[in-house]
Structures are given as structure tokens and as C-alpha cells.
Amino acid sequence: MVPEDVVVPEDDSVRRFNRLDEVRAVAVLQECCNSPAWASRVARARPFADSAALLEHADRALAEISEADVDDALAGHPRIGERPDNASSAREQSGVTGSDASVIAELRDCNAAYEDRFGHVYLVFANGRPAEELLGILKQRMHNDAETERRVLREELSKINRARLLRMLASEPEAGKGAMT
């Protein structure tokens, strides 16, 4: 699933990514997903023929990493409704910006209840969705058992990773900043 606001990059972007040394490739990948294990698995699998092959391997790597590695990935995600600390999260949570204060307060309370129940941050592919929708999803997911919720969490993380990878490939490198320089 490709988010509507993401342009699928040309193969030249994938070739540029393939040419990065492993240290730089892992660093760029960790900007997409905070799991060192995931980033290392994806970087070591290069070269990729195209963006579809990269996305497929990224999904496979996510399915293969341990729960502790998934927890590393979660550490890179702010709570839904809190001020994002990075550009990717800010873009993804843009639909929450300017939401009614009562909805944000309820989201904060439900985030805390979710974390108490499952032991980790509520992760959802926000992609500009409004706070009310994200709150509704959170409330529904509170009914999941722990095993189901971990499966759902990995599915949501996969969607986020895919969108971030495509944005990474589509981004033009800036001197000394992010992307693939």
C-alpha cells in the first residue's frame, strides 16, 4: 500500500541507495525505522532491482526481527497527539494538528491506558488522519489481546516503514542533511 502523498521513486533512486556504503545505508534506514536490526538486515540485502524489491525485503526483515527489535523501532515513535520530535512523525501526524483540545486530552488519556495495557506506545499509520479517527482506532484496538495487538502493531509499522522508505528514495539529498548523500 503506497500512501497517496508519496511519489514512487524512479529506479535511479534505488541505484543511488544501493551505492551507499553500509554504514551510511544503515543510518539512512534508521531514519525510516529506529530498529538497528531491521536497518542492518535491509542494508545487507542490497542491491535491490527496484523500489518494489526494497519494500518487499523491508517487510520480510520486519517480520523476521525479534520483539525486542520491534520495541527499538517503537522507541523512535512519539505518542499520537504529542508534539512529534522528527519531520517524518510531524508529517504523519499532521491531521492531529489543530484538533479540538478535548479530543487531544482524550487521546492522551487513551494513550496512557493503551501503554498500561500493552506495555508500549500506540502505533498507527497516521498519514494525515484526523485525531478523532486515530482515537477511534485506538479505542477499538484496546479490545485486542496482547498477541493480536503485536500482530497489528507490526502491520502498522510496515505501512509506516514503506511510506518512509518511499519518501527517502524520492527525496533529493541536501548538503550534509538526511536523505542519501
Side-chain angles (χ1 to χ4, degrees):
M1 173 164 120
V2 178
E4 294 174 9
D5 68 334
V6 176
V7 175
V8 178
E10 298 297 320
D11 287 344
D12 187 53
S13 297
V14 175
R15 283 191 292 273
R16 191 174 67 214
F17 173 68
N18 287 337
R19 287 191 304 265
L20 295 176
D21 66 62
E22 187 162 344
V23 171
R24 182 68 184 133
V26 168
V28 167
L29 288 164
Q30 278 194 259
E31 291 175 18
C32 297
C33 179
N34 200 52
S35 168
W38 176 86
S40 293
R41 283 177 186 244
V42 175
R44 284 193 313 263
R46 294 173 304 147
F48 297 106
D50 53 29
S51 58
L54 169 60
L55 295 177
E56 182 180 320
H57 188 79
D59 287 347
R60 190 169 40 254
L62 181 61
E64 294 170 353
I65 63 174
S66 71
E67 291 301 324
D69 295 328
V70 171
D71 289 338
D72 288 342
L74 292 176
H77 290 274
R79 289 177 184 89
I80 297 291
E82 288 189 359
R83 175 178 228 140
D85 58 357
N86 63 64
S88 290
S89 292
R91 179 185 299 106
E92 293 156 1
Q93 290 195 39
S94 64
V96 176
T97 305
S99 293
D100 186 79
S102 64
V103 174
I104 297 298
E106 188 175 3
L107 194 51
R108 185 175 38 252
D109 292 344
C110 288
N111 273 327
Y114 178 96
E115 289 177 31
D116 286 345
R117 175 164 164 69
F118 295 111
H120 55 77
V121 69
Y122 161 59
L123 187 74
V124 64
F125 182 61
N127 200 40
R129 292 162 139 169
E132 295 83 359
E133 182 180 350
L134 298 174
L135 178 60
I137 294 168
L138 190 157
K139 287 178 177 181
Q140 286 179 321
R141 286 176 52 189
M142 287 292 289
H143 298 290
N144 289 342
D145 60 60
E147 184 179 324
T148 300
E149 186 54 26
R150 281 306 269 206
R151 182 184 48 74
V152 171
L153 180 145
R154 280 185 187 250
E155 291 168 3
E156 295 298 305
L157 184 56
S158 175
K159 293 174 194 175
I160 293 166
N161 288 352
R162 284 173 154 263
R164 289 180 176 187
L165 284 166
L166 290 172
R167 283 188 195 103
M168 178 264 302
L169 290 171
S171 69
E172 288 300 317
E174 299 178 36
K177 295 173 80 175
M180 298 178 294
T181 52

